[in-house]
Amino acid sequence: MILDKRYVPYLLLAPFLIHFLIFVIYPLIFSLILTLHKWNISMPMQWIGLKNFKRLFSDYYFWISIKNTLYFLIIHIPFQLIIALGLALILNQKIRFRGFARALFFMPVVVSGVVISILWKELYNYESGVLNRILVMMDFQRIPFLINTKWAMPSIAIMATWKNVGFYLVLFLVGLQNIPDSLYEAAEIDGASNWQKFWHITIPQLNPTILLVVILSSINGFSLFIEPYIMTGGGPLNSTLSAMLYIYKQAFFFNRLGYAATLAFSFAIILFFIVTVQKKIIEKEN
Amino acid sequence: MKKLSIYFLFLLFVCTSNNKKVYKDSLTYWCATNPQEYQLAKLLVEKWNKTHTIKVKLQPIPAGNSSEEVIMAAIAGKTTPDIYSNHWPGMTEELRVSGNLYCLDSIDGALDFLINRCGDDIVNSFKSKNRHLYQVPWKVNPIMIMYNKDFFKRRGVNKIPVTYDDFLEAAGKLTYDEDNDGYIDHWAGYRDIRPLWYQRWFDFYAFYIAASGGKTLFDKNGKFNLDDDIAIKVFSLFKKIYENGYFPKTEFQNQPFILKRVIATDICGPWNISTIKYFKVEDLDYGFFKIPVPDTNKVKQFYTYGDYKNIVIFRTCNMPDSAWEFVKFLITRKSDLELLKITNQIPVRRDLLKDSLFIPFFNKHKDLIPFAKQAILTRSINSVPEIKEIFDEISQQWEACCIYGVKSPEDAISDLKKRVNLILNEF
């Protein structure tokens, strides 16, 4: 069979397009329609116009979940950036067991988030956790990692950093290996110190990677769900109620699918705004 | 290209056509997935199929986050079974209003049959807002308090707590630091402190039902009717419990800690008995007592929360009379005995301890007798579409008041009522 050449590109694109239409475009349009409806799955959809948006602005938990998610990002992104970059700088040197160490740091990335959350919940346990046992042995006070409003979100941020740092470490390693040696050689000839080389060569050259890490961390931060779901259930006193956890509660606990879709759209708009600002700031510095 | 398009359309047709076999003379029955309940369902379906022309096709409920979520997905996909036996009563009204459940009292003799089996009180408590019945009360896990007898003796607690004062007094003795390192390592009890809506069934709701002599959150007309005074008393009790450290403010991963002798009491259902056998800690000397009440003079009967699982027939069933016959078969005396033997769960049957068929079983399993006695004095979750959200709000106020002590019980109950009003009327 001889195909008309004009159709060949479309045929080749068809698997992607079909997937894209069914799994991206259709849910997106359906969610948009849902924002204007009340729907609990078992009953027919009921048109309610902009009532979901009206509720959103007066919803105390919506604002708390935004505040918590932003707080998580403020702790998580710099922490992630510094640790991943620091480790990448060390593991980019010619040191012993370099390959093993790289694999070791990457391991938490591939382990299930649920498993890691359960393990860390045990580590953080106020009464029987290993960390608190060590603190008591060393004559320190126990830390209420997950049962204190001040400690809970930073504790989750530390755990999330531990889990994801391997991935960003790989990105930084790629970035570091793409910096031409000639730049460092020229700087050395000019008598630059290690700090000057790091500040004036490494950081500017890594700018696209830093931007990528910041954007990916922000997106991942807004997807924060498994950790609070498993470790705290959103408590104590809603201090770890993240945007995703709140959407999940509305959709799958309370069957308010229209309102959950409204929340999801609103969070997506906020995320888009944050990423745009980040992009502007970081690219400006470049 | 034309040929290719035809092939593609054919493929699409094959993929999207409904390839589900149609059993015209059979009923589809979904049961719970846990091994014991599946074993029971398999046994009963095999027995039924041997003697009846209308066959039953058994299937454990498909996997999902929760059975409620799976039922919702089945409704959306129009793949509901004819009969389902792991139905959570809290969901009934939602399914009734959306026209998904078969009205059982429209079947001749069904209501009388169920009243005869379970008693008026229980059957009426499961009627919907429109005063019709859409679910068969099947089995129940009454919530009681398990206690470690040795622990009680060792700490000098000689009286089973009946009132809140008794409970607090006992809790003070049962909570202690064994190795003198300055930290408590044995507690009077333990509850999951996470603000999860279903966790409040086992503390707030069980204590509220007990203290109010069997009241639930909604009245017969479906109106939210929280007894402020009782709710404040329950909140105050648990506030004192957490303030004094009688229950730890933490979450233990490996439950139940009563088996490890870390805690002295555990608010639980009869499932703890199976857990004891599973973990082979038969040397644990345990007993059960009823949920304490604020004042024994004001409570005539000791009610508690009953974790019910019921049976429903879906409207998609095209043979409702046959489905009802099968449901009746699932809840015969003999089937209920099998339920007890295989799952150790209590059938909702008013004459359970007097019936000659069950007496030998209970003589052998004396630890289940308190639950069998308590079963007829239980209340379930109100069947209101917003019930999960209401319990979520109770959890929020519970956490703020009882666990972290940032609100007084009075303020917590006042805020709860305001929020419930918002949930029911504005959202």
Side-chain angles (χ1 to χ4, degrees), chain A residues 26-220:
Chain A
Y26 170 70
L28 204 66
I29 293 171
F30 187 61
S31 306
L32 200 61
I33 293 168
L34 267 182
T35 59
L36 306 170
H37 290 82
K38 188 177 179 180
W39 189 45
N40 69 357
I41 302 177
S42 68
M43 305 260 278
M45 279 201 264
Q46 185 193 337
W47 169 267
I48 54 164
L50 294 173
K51 271 190 183 170
N52 280 327
F53 289 94
K54 196 183 153 199
R55 178 186 169 179
L56 186 101
F57 287 108
S58 60
D59 186 355
Y60 166 74
Y61 295 117
F62 167 71
W63 295 108
I64 284 192
S65 65
I66 289 183
K67 193 191 94 190
N68 291 340
T69 307
L70 294 177
Y71 181 46
F72 173 79
L73 291 182
I74 288 168
I75 305 168
H76 179 60
I77 296 176
F79 202 46
Q80 181 108 279
L81 208 67
I82 293 165
I83 292 182
L85 182 58
L87 286 172
L89 288 168
I90 296 166
L91 294 176
N92 200 35
Q93 309 295 317
K94 285 174 186 161
I95 53 167
R96 288 176 76 185
F97 305 117
R98 190 169 66 165
F100 175 72
R102 285 177 182 177
L104 205 66
F105 283 112
F106 195 74
M107 211 175 276
V109 179
V110 290
V111 178
S112 148
V114 176
V115 174
I116 285 179
S117 300
I118 292 172
L119 285 174
W120 276 77
K121 194 166 88 173
E122 279 302 284
L123 282 177
Y124 281 149
N125 195 302
Y126 186 65
E127 304 291 351
S128 56
V130 174
L131 295 177
N132 274 322
R133 279 170 192 256
I134 293 170
L135 287 173
V136 169
M137 272 165 56
M138 294 164 69
D139 278 340
F140 286 108
Q141 289 283 311
R142 287 184 298 183
I143 298 174
F145 291 107
L146 297 175
I147 56 167
N148 180 293
T149 47
K150 282 178 189 155
W151 275 98
M153 195 52 109
S155 301
I156 287 179
I158 290 169
M159 194 213 86
T161 305
W162 177 83
K163 181 175 172 10
N164 299 323
V165 79
F167 177 69
Y168 299 108
L169 165 68
V170 171
L171 293 182
F172 276 124
L173 276 174
V174 173
L176 285 171
Q177 282 160 20
N178 280 334
I179 301 174
D181 286 342
S182 56
L183 293 176
Y184 292 110
E185 285 162 9
E188 257 172 50
I189 291 165
D190 292 341
S193 66
N194 282 341
W195 173 250
Q196 285 171 320
K197 278 191 277 181
F198 173 73
W199 195 246
H200 296 290
I201 299 172
T202 310
I203 292 292
Q205 289 292 315
L206 278 180
N207 199 283
T209 313
I210 292 171
L211 177 65
L212 182 68
V213 169
V214 169
I215 288 174
L216 288 179
S217 297
S218 305
I219 294 168
N220 280 339

Side-chain angles (χ1 to χ4, degrees), chain A residues 121-122 125 142 253 256, chain B residues 183 250-251 253 388-389:
Chain A
K121 194 166 88 173
E122 279 302 284
N125 195 302
R142 287 184 298 183
F253 280 175
R256 293 188 186 274
Chain B
Y183 292 105
T250 195
E251 202 209 333
Q253 195 66 44
K388 289 183 191 173
E389 220 164 338

Side-chain angles (χ1 to χ4, degrees), chain B residues 334-374:
Chain B
K334 283 183 182 172
S335 302
D336 280 344
L337 184 62
E338 295 294 348
L339 168 73
L340 269 166
K341 282 181 180 171
I342 297 172
T343 68
N344 273 0
Q345 295 185 59
I346 310 293
V348 187
R349 189 171 269 285
R350 63 176 165 181
D351 53 2
L352 200 58
L353 288 167
K354 291 175 192 160
D355 191 319
S356 57
L357 188 70
F358 299 101
I359 290 171
F361 174 84
F362 283 109
N363 285 339
K364 263 190 188 173
H365 299 85
K366 289 200 175 358
D367 42 6
L368 278 173
I369 293 176
F371 291 100
K373 281 183 183 165
Q374 184 71 66

Side-chain angles (χ1 to χ4, degrees), chain B residues 45-102:
Chain B
V45 167
E46 274 169 11
K47 275 188 186 173
W48 168 273
N49 284 344
K50 271 183 198 166
T51 52
H52 292 80
T53 47
I54 294 187
K55 305 294 178 200
V56 171
K57 198 175 153 247
L58 171 69
Q59 192 194 319
I61 183 168
N65 269 347
S66 67
S67 49
E68 290 76 44
E69 204 179 299
V70 175
I71 290 295
M72 283 300 194
I75 287 169
K78 296 184 173 54
T79 55
T80 43
D82 296 306
I83 303 140
Y84 172 52
S85 72
N86 197 38
H87 174 74
W88 176 57
M91 206 185 171
T92 310
E93 200 58 14
E94 202 172 336
L95 298 186
R96 196 269 301 175
V97 173
S98 57
N100 282 293
L101 294 182
Y102 199 84

